[in-house]
Amino acid sequence: LRTTLLFLSPKEVYTAPDSCEGRCEEPFSEEDECHCHAECERSHSCCEDFHRHCRAEGFSSRRDAITDEDLLRVSEQLYRADHNKAQPSDVAINPQYQASPDETGDQEDRSPQPLYKYVNEKLFSKPTYASFIKLLDNYQRVTGREEDVTTEELREQDNFLKEVMKTELMKKLFAFLYEKNRYGSEQEFVADLKEMWFGLYSRSDGERDSSGFEHVFSGRAHTSWRVLGSTGLRKLTPGSRLSLGEVKKGKVSGFHNWIRFYLLEKQGIVNYFSHNFDGPWDTYPDVLGLQFSWDGFYKEVGSAFIGCSPEFEFGLYTLLCPPRCHLSLGGYSLSIQTYTWTKSTYGNGKKFIATAYIISS
């Protein structure tokens, strides 16, 4: 009896589950963490290094790959198409103290006045603003509890999507993604927006208790413990209702929307401390990196577009560029951080939005 030994290289034996190295055109499998087949870009399920390893043949053609140059071009298009943004006379902010990198973690209120001196609330009567604001009170329960989405809340989601899709900004975004063969029709695009942003997934205990829209724009408390200054911790009761950003270990995470911040600061719920970054823009949208507290919780370094329309943020983050990508707004560069939720998918392996925010430094 003759035995033949076949020696395989480590690369042939094992490929990283979160990489496309050696996996280009691999058939779709629900068990994979990410994908490298020809349709993965359309389903937003590609591995982070898909373009590096599979760009030439990874999608239907080289022309369909979204390049860094494409992202710079389309972000400028969306910036110019934000016709619903605030005008300089609509919003006045008072940044006050600028914190150094060593000071952002001090939890010291160095700005005695609110961040927003004035906001023209007539902005909020515009259809995209009004439909956006109606969504904000749908997400106020702590994590770990199944989200009870009512028929009215589903209508509010549909109405928001209907209103934003009327705008030139979202039409330009769809045209770009259609050109890149990501969607075959506007109807398909809107259906996917609803799933990726409003589809529920679990951030704790297996309960479908969170969504991308909730985390990025509205937020909730991630923990059942609430920090009360120096007096220690008090456990929240099951009926306690919270709003704003996700909370981890006594600190706020998430919460990147200027409208949400303004409304809560007006109610006295948010206390602005300082800022560590003020963008170079002399009109809106502008970018601010800031520190604040909310009812005892602290945000060490937050970031927000100031004065943009809801559709601008929604559209820009929908680009779902690689985890960190470089964009251009009004001739100035900025970076966006995006993450998809990797623990569950919808449809044919498509991924929900986990978080998205501007990098302010």
Side-chain angles (χ1 to χ4, degrees), residues 105-148:
D106 289 351
Q107 303 192 32
E108 183 175 342
D109 185 357
R110 296 180 170 94
S111 300
Q113 302 299 318
L115 174 61
Y116 286 93
K117 293 197 295 186
Y118 170 76
V119 171
N120 178 9
E121 294 192 5
K122 289 182 180 179
L123 281 172
F124 302 158
S125 64
K126 292 185 176 184
T128 57
Y129 285 80
S131 57
F132 173 81
I133 290 170
K134 282 187 176 181
L135 293 169
L136 295 178
D137 64 359
N138 293 347
Y139 309 101
Q140 294 184 340
R141 297 182 185 135
V142 294
T143 51
R145 298 181 62 192
E146 185 84 15
E147 191 70 56
D148 181 19

Side-chain angles (χ1 to χ4, degrees), residues 9 16 68 71 76 91 111 115 124 133 146 154 193 198 215 262 296 320:
S9 69
D68 293 342
L71 292 173
E76 283 287 1
V91 177
S111 300
L115 174 61
F124 302 158
I133 290 170
E146 185 84 15
L154 290 173
L193 286 175
F198 296 103
H215 181 82
Y262 165 74
L320 278 179

Side-chain angles (χ1 to χ4, degrees), residues 287-332:
V287 175
L288 197 69
L290 62 160
Q291 294 72 50
F292 61 89
S293 71
W294 159 65
D295 200 18
F297 298 110
Y298 183 66
K299 180 74 172 182
E300 182 171 343
V301 179
S303 60
F305 285 111
I306 307 294
C308 68
S309 69
E311 61 266 28
F312 176 81
E313 265 188 294
F314 189 72
L316 204 65
Y317 294 149
T318 296
L319 275 173
L320 278 179
C321 45
R324 180 177 295 200
C325 65
H326 302 290
L327 307 179
S328 179
L329 302 181
Y332 295 102

Side-chain angles (χ1 to χ4, degrees), residues 10-273:
K11 183 176 179 180
E12 293 170 308
V13 173
Y14 172 79
T15 56
D18 59 350
S19 172
C20 279
E21 185 174 4
R23 294 178 55 205
C24 295
E25 297 301 320
E26 183 178 77
F28 171 81
S29 171
E30 290 185 354
E31 296 180 357
D32 291 337
E33 291 185 19
C34 58
H35 306 287
C36 308
H37 56 82
E39 294 296 314
C40 72
E41 288 195 291
R42 186 166 184 169
S43 62
H44 309 305
S45 64
C46 297
C47 298
E48 294 178 11
D49 59 0
F50 170 76
H51 282 176
R52 178 151 52 92
H53 294 296
C54 311
R55 174 174 286 179
E57 65 278 354
F59 205 61
S60 57
S61 72
R62 185 185 296 269
R63 173 177 59 85
D64 291 332
I66 296 178
T67 65
D68 293 342
E69 291 74 20
D70 288 331
L71 292 173
L72 293 173
R73 174 176 55 84
V74 73
S75 57
E76 283 287 1
Q77 288 181 351
L78 300 185
Y79 177 81
R80 292 192 296 270
D82 190 11
H83 304 307
N84 284 328
K85 67 183 179 183
Q87 298 304 308
S89 60
D90 289 326
V91 177
I93 62 173
N94 184 19
Q96 301 166 78
Y97 188 82
Q98 183 164 2
S100 69
D102 293 335
E103 294 174 322
T104 58
D106 289 351
Q107 303 192 32
E108 183 175 342
D109 185 357
R110 296 180 170 94
S111 300
Q113 302 299 318
L115 174 61
Y116 286 93
K117 293 197 295 186
Y118 170 76
V119 171
N120 178 9
E121 294 192 5
K122 289 182 180 179
L123 281 172
F124 302 158
S125 64
K126 292 185 176 184
T128 57
Y129 285 80
S131 57
F132 173 81
I133 290 170
K134 282 187 176 181
L135 293 169
L136 295 178
D137 64 359
N138 293 347
Y139 309 101
Q140 294 184 340
R141 297 182 185 135
V142 294
T143 51
R145 298 181 62 192
E146 185 84 15
E147 191 70 56
D148 181 19
V149 182
T150 67
T151 302
E152 178 62 24
E153 289 169 352
L154 290 173
R155 279 198 295 265
E156 290 173 354
Q157 294 172 11
D158 291 336
N159 187 54
F160 173 71
L161 292 172
K162 180 185 73 173
E163 294 298 341
V164 297
M165 286 307 301
K166 292 177 182 178
T167 66
E168 179 185 347
L169 187 151
M170 289 298 289
K171 289 186 180 299
K172 282 186 177 295
L173 176 60
F174 167 68
F176 169 73
L177 295 173
Y178 178 83
E179 176 190 350
K180 293 296 183 177
N181 201 27
R182 300 306 189 272
Y183 299 99
S185 67
E186 186 172 311
Q187 182 180 10
E188 180 187 352
F189 178 49
V190 173
D192 197 38
L193 286 175
K194 186 167 184 178
E195 287 292 340
M196 76 168 77
W197 280 104
F198 296 103
L200 295 175
Y201 53 84
S202 174
R203 286 186 184 263
S204 64
D205 300 327
E207 301 287 349
R208 296 169 69 244
D209 58 359
S210 190
S211 70
F213 185 92
E214 175 182 12
H215 181 82
V216 174
F217 295 106
S218 180
R220 62 154 75 226
H222 181 71
T223 176
S224 60
W225 296 93
R226 177 180 175 190
V227 176
L228 295 176
S230 61
T231 62
L233 301 172
R234 175 171 65 84
K235 192 171 183 179
L236 293 169
T237 61
S240 298
R241 296 177 67 81
L242 299 174
S243 58
L244 193 60
E246 191 174 40
V247 175
K248 296 179 180 178
K249 298 181 180 179
K251 294 184 178 181
V252 177
S253 68
F255 183 48
H256 302 285
N257 180 257
W258 77 272
I259 300 170
R260 183 70 159 158
F261 190 102
Y262 165 74
L263 293 173
L264 291 174
E265 186 180 56
K266 183 180 177 182
Q267 297 174 45
I269 297 173
V270 170
N271 180 25
Y272 170 72
F273 280 23

